[in-house]
Amino acid sequence: MPLNEIAASLYAWDLADETVERCLDNLQALAGVNSAYLVGMMHKEKRPLHARFYPHNPVRKYYTPEDSRAYWRPDPAAYPGRIKPLTSDRDFLAGTDWLEVLIKDARSRGMKTGCEISHTVIDAQVAREQYPDVLQRDVFGHVVGTFEAIEAQRALPCLNNPDVAEYLAGLVTDLVGRHDIDFIQSCLVMFGSGYSRSNTVGGSAVRASWNEVLATTTGGCFCDSCRDKAVAQGLDWDAIVAEVRHLNLVYTGRDLEQAHEGQLLRESNYSEAELLLENAAFASWLAFRRRSIDDLFALINKAAHDARPGIDFRYNTYMARPELAGLNFTSAFQHVDSVRESDYSDQLGTAEGVAIKRAKLMKVRRALAYDKPLLAALGVRPNATPETLRASVKAAVDSGCDGLSLGHYDGATMERLRAVTEGVAEWEGLESSWIHQPDRDRS
Ligand SMILES: [Zn+2]
C-alpha cells in the first residue's frame, strides 16, 4: 500500500513566529506534506526538545511553553464540570484561535487537517491547588507526575476519575464538533509508569525487563476512584496495596530489608514471568490498569464519533514500553481509527536505531490489524541523519504503513525535510512510483 498521508505537526508559536504560510510552504515543497495538524494542547516542555536552539525560527532562540494550554478558543458550553481548559497568557499567543489559522491555510492547499491533545491536559500547579483529588497517586498517596523528578511537582490526572473523564470528553467534543478537522490525535500520558525512564527514543523489547515492570509500583494509580472501580470489579484492593507497597520498597531500596532483597534480585537470574507469578495481586492491578485504559479509549472514541461520525480518532504512541502505562495495543486499538507510531529512534543516527523503529512499527501493525491506517513518525531533527531518515522510510514500507508523520517542524532542518521526499522516492512509497511514466522512465 502507498504512503498516502504525509503529516506534520505545528505549534501555535511556530505559526506566530514564522507565519503559517512559510511553515506549510516548506513542509509541502521539501517533504511532500499533505496533512497538517496543530498540537492544540501542549504540555510543559522546552522547545526545541533535543537541540538547544531553533535552527530556523526568525524571532526567538527557544521557547518554554506554559503547562497544558489550549491554543484554540474553547467553547465554555463544552465544559460543564469543574475542570476547564486554560488558554495562554502570553501576549503573542493570547486571543487567537491558532487551530483556525492553520486550518484556513491548509485547506486552501487541499491538505488534511487535524489537532492533537498532547501528553497532559491539566496545569499541574493549578490542579494541585484547585482539584488535588483528581490526581494520580502512588501506593503511598503521593501525587504522580510525568517524566520529571518528583521535585518538579508535576501531576497527572487519574483517567478513572469521573471529573477527568467528563473534561476529556469535553475537549474532544469541542474540537471535533466546532472545527474543520479530519482527525483528532491523542498522545495522553496514561498511568504513571514509574521513575527514570526515557520513553521516546530507543528501548528495544529485549532489554532486561523485570526491573522495569517492578518500577510501575512507583507509578499510578491508587486514588479513591481507582479503588472504587477495582473493588466494583471484585478485586482485593487491600491485598493489592500491601503487595505493591512491598515491591515499591524493594524497587526504591528505601529501607534496609527491602533494599537487601532488591540487591539479591538484581544479582540473580530473576525473570519477568517469575515476578508476575509470585505477585498475583500486583499482576491483577496491572490487568486492572489495562481495562481502565481500554475504557479511556472507548470514551474518547464515543465523544469523537458522537460529535461527528466521520472523524478519525488517531492515537499517537509515546512510550518505548506502553504496557507499563497500562496500554495494551490489541485491546485499546479496537477503539481507534488510526495510529501514529511516535518512535524517533532514527535520531540515534544509526542503523540500530532504525531497527528499533521497524520493530515498533511491526508491533503496532499486528495489533491494529490491516484495515486501519498506520503512520510512522520520522524525527526530522538534527540528531537524525538523511541516511537514517531514508532508511526509516524503508522501515515504514517494510511494516505496511499507510503514511508518515514528521516530528517536529520547529526543530527540523531543511536538509532533513528533503530526505523525506528522497526516501519516499527511493523506496517507492507512492503509487505514482508504481506506474510507468514515459518522461521519468526514459533512459
Ligand atoms: Zn486513580
Side-chain angles (χ1 to χ4, degrees), residues 283-346:
S284 76
W285 175 69
L286 293 176
F288 166 71
R289 292 160 105 228
R290 168 191 162 171
R291 291 193 296 276
S292 299
I293 295 302
D294 292 346
D295 291 346
L296 169 76
F297 275 68
L299 177 142
I300 295 175
N301 179 306
K302 182 174 187 317
H305 289 93
D306 283 353
R308 184 145 43 89
I311 192 73
D312 175 349
F313 165 33
R314 177 172 297 171
Y315 179 65
N316 189 18
T317 68
Y318 70 95
M319 290 183 69
R321 296 198 60 188
E323 67 275 19
L324 302 181
L327 173 58
N328 175 261
F329 283 174
T330 309
S331 55
F333 289 173
Q334 301 297 312
H335 306 289
V336 305
D337 300 304
S338 61
V339 168
R340 176 187 193 269
E341 168 47 67
S342 183
D343 176 77
Y344 295 127
S345 299
D346 28 10

Side-chain angles (χ1 to χ4, degrees), residues 203-272:
S204 79
V206 297
R207 202 162 58 186
S209 58
W210 69 265
N211 204 50
E212 293 188 334
V213 178
L214 189 61
T216 61
T217 61
T218 66
C221 175
F222 291 87
C223 76
D224 292 349
S225 296
C226 283
R227 179 199 61 209
D228 294 347
K229 185 170 177 172
V231 169
Q233 292 180 8
L235 274 70
D236 185 343
W237 192 249
D238 292 340
I240 290 172
V241 168
E243 197 164 276
V244 173
R245 280 187 175 175
H246 172 76
L247 294 171
N248 174 299
L249 294 175
V250 170
Y251 182 76
T252 59
R254 282 208 308 245
D255 215 338
L256 295 181
E257 286 294 336
Q258 293 87 353
H260 174 66
E261 186 180 348
Q263 290 285 12
L264 290 188
L265 287 172
R266 288 183 193 97
E267 292 178 29
S268 77
N269 60 344
Y270 199 56
S271 75
E272 191 168 311

